[in-house]
Amino acid sequence: MNYIPTIGLEIHAELKTKSKMFCSSLNDPQEKHPNVNICPICMGHPGTLPVANKVAIHEVQKVGLALNCTLALFSKFDRKNYFYPDLPKGYQISQYDLPFCSEGYLDIAGKRIRITRIHLEEDAGRLIHPPGADYSLVDFNRAGVPLMELVTEPDITSGQEAMAFAKELQILLRYLAASDANMDKGQMRVEANVSVRPNGQEKLGTKVEVKNLNSFKSVERAIAFEARRQSELLESGQEVIQETRGWDDTKEETFSQREKEDAHYYRYFPEPDLPPFRFTKEEFKALKSEIPELPWQRRERFSREYDLGTSEIEVFVQQKDIGEYFEKVVSELGIDAATEKLQKLIKLASNYIITDLIGILQKASVVGEDFLITPENFAELMLLIEKGEISSPIAKQVLKEMFSKGGDPSIIIEEQGLAQISDTASIQEIAKEIIKSNPKAVEDYKKGKENALQFLVGQLMSKTKGTVHPEAARTILGDILKT
Ligand code: ADP
Ligand code: MG
């Protein structure tokens, strides 16, 4: 392409606090019954006064600290005035010139993306347009929910990079327990400002703002589409108009929503009902000490400490609780193991967690009382596999049993007779029985049908519940049949 795309993101995230931003109504925007989590304050009744939610402010400041921002020692809220039916007060309490956090950055695949600011505001209600009806409904459960807004500098150059940025931010918000940040639930919303400029030109082109991006995939595709559309316009001698466009997920294209009147006139002014804030460096230091290991720190540490592939490490970074569980299992393995053997066991545990445990879990989680597999028992299962006491299919079976009932794997194995049978004499014994009770297959085999042997192996495996190694079964059956 002869045109270079430039992208700046504006990302909103609903913060996970008990109560709303300026009142004590429950913060639960997923509540299905409309208008239950509301009160005179978030409904904007006259004579009410807002009180700022301290936890929400701390959450935003922690996000700012994690993203290397400067935290404002003096800050305030401002009124952003506009009329819309989902905005009961006729204005949104937001921040204008003194955001809580400014000038940070996030590195994506070694490239630094600068963050302009992170501020705090309140979410609006939700309008519902019943199909075919000549009226709309409004649900205020979401009105007043704390909403963080992060704005980046125009440092991003592709849809893929924008998606990677949004993904990393989502993981960070989850690590800090600031937001669940599920895009499909509207807990995290991404808007992309996209422009293109001819290769060699310094000055940025006219930007278009793309909204309704409800998934990471749509972030990537909408930006790629926009960059192409704008390049084609310029290529054919036309101009890009500054406007807001929506993303049609089915058609996979952007469409014009409204042309941007030169900056909305929001009549911002300091919120008179909330006094400004003065913070101290000591408070910021205390907040910093509450920040856990960050996703990029864990990524770096895991690749240094464990001999695992990048995609495995990524699972443990992205799913924080799974990563923590993995490390607990590893610490249970560590006892007395020689380095090489330990490395082998770590890989085994990683494989079983990623391919089997995550599959069994589906929507359940490894944290909480209903998760019954203790790291100690999981580690013991790994040791049993490594010693050859159980085969891999049996291990998967035992794991399912441990998941539903809990308990020690060696006890489950003993109770259910699942231990690997490896002594030749016992297998010969069983093989003879199988031969005796399957005369037809034996006859077929002797006539030269190789399949018949496979059938006998299968019979033996099912009789022994898979506790005999199939290779051993095949050899021993073959030997007996040849004599
Ligand atoms: P506005 O006043 O229209 O909201 P801002 O200057 O506040 O514009 O920028 C909003 C977002 O757009 C930021 O993320 C910024 O990085 C991005 N942006 C600004 N100019 C451009 C441009 N020419 N191309 C792409 N993104 C841009
Ligand atoms: Mg803006």
Side-chain angles (χ1 to χ4, degrees), residues 279-459:
F279 302 104
T280 62
K281 294 235 163 79
E282 287 66 41
E283 284 173 90
F284 296 159
K285 217 168 145 190
L287 285 176
K288 198 160 193 170
S289 72
E290 289 172 20
I291 293 178
E293 179 179 46
L294 296 171
W296 43 93
Q297 292 167 338
R298 174 173 291 185
R299 190 176 286 125
E300 195 268 329
R301 184 173 63 81
F302 269 48
S303 54
R304 193 159 24 85
E305 288 181 11
Y306 308 112
D307 181 21
L308 299 174
T310 44
S311 64
E312 288 166 302
I313 291 176
E314 215 41 47
V315 173
F316 296 137
V317 170
Q318 290 182 19
Q319 302 188 49
K320 185 166 186 267
D321 54 343
I322 302 279
E324 270 148 25
Y325 185 74
F326 163 76
E327 291 212 283
K328 282 187 198 148
V329 171
V330 169
S331 72
E332 295 290 341
L333 288 172
I335 326 145
D336 275 353
T339 317
E340 200 180 316
K341 190 177 162 201
L342 182 62
Q343 281 306 326
K344 211 173 140 196
L345 280 163
I346 288 173
K347 276 198 178 159
L348 194 65
S350 167
N351 282 341
Y352 270 87
I353 289 173
I354 291 173
T355 50
D356 299 292
L357 183 61
I358 292 180
I360 296 171
L361 282 170
Q362 287 164 342
K363 280 196 178 108
S365 146
V366 292
V367 288
E369 277 163 32
D370 48 356
F371 184 69
L372 303 174
I373 311 178
T374 63
E376 191 194 351
N377 283 338
F378 197 101
E380 192 184 332
L381 182 67
M382 297 302 108
L383 290 162
L384 291 169
I385 300 167
E386 204 269 339
K387 280 190 227 150
E389 290 190 17
I390 50 169
S391 63
S392 159
I394 296 290
K396 290 175 203 292
Q397 202 179 317
V398 174
L399 194 63
K400 282 199 183 117
E401 192 70 18
M402 289 162 76
F403 177 73
S404 54
K405 300 202 183 85
D408 194 305
S410 36
I411 292 173
I412 295 173
I413 289 161
E414 199 185 303
E415 278 176 0
Q416 307 198 358
L418 297 174
Q420 185 96 336
I421 304 173
S422 47
D423 71 299
T424 316
S426 310
I427 303 173
Q428 277 170 339
E429 205 57 38
I430 305 161
K432 279 177 194 156
E433 275 177 48
I434 296 292
I435 287 169
K436 216 166 158 189
S437 47
N438 292 282
K440 173 85 172 63
V442 174
E443 200 181 310
D444 286 350
Y445 176 74
K446 292 198 165 151
K447 279 185 199 152
K449 276 194 191 165
E450 272 301 310
N451 285 351
L453 180 59
Q454 194 48 43
F455 171 79
L456 292 168
V457 171
Q459 292 296 301

Side-chain angles (χ1 to χ4, degrees), residues 10 149 151 209 260:
E10 293 170 279
E149 181 178 348
V151 182
E209 189 173 341
K260 202 150 182 175

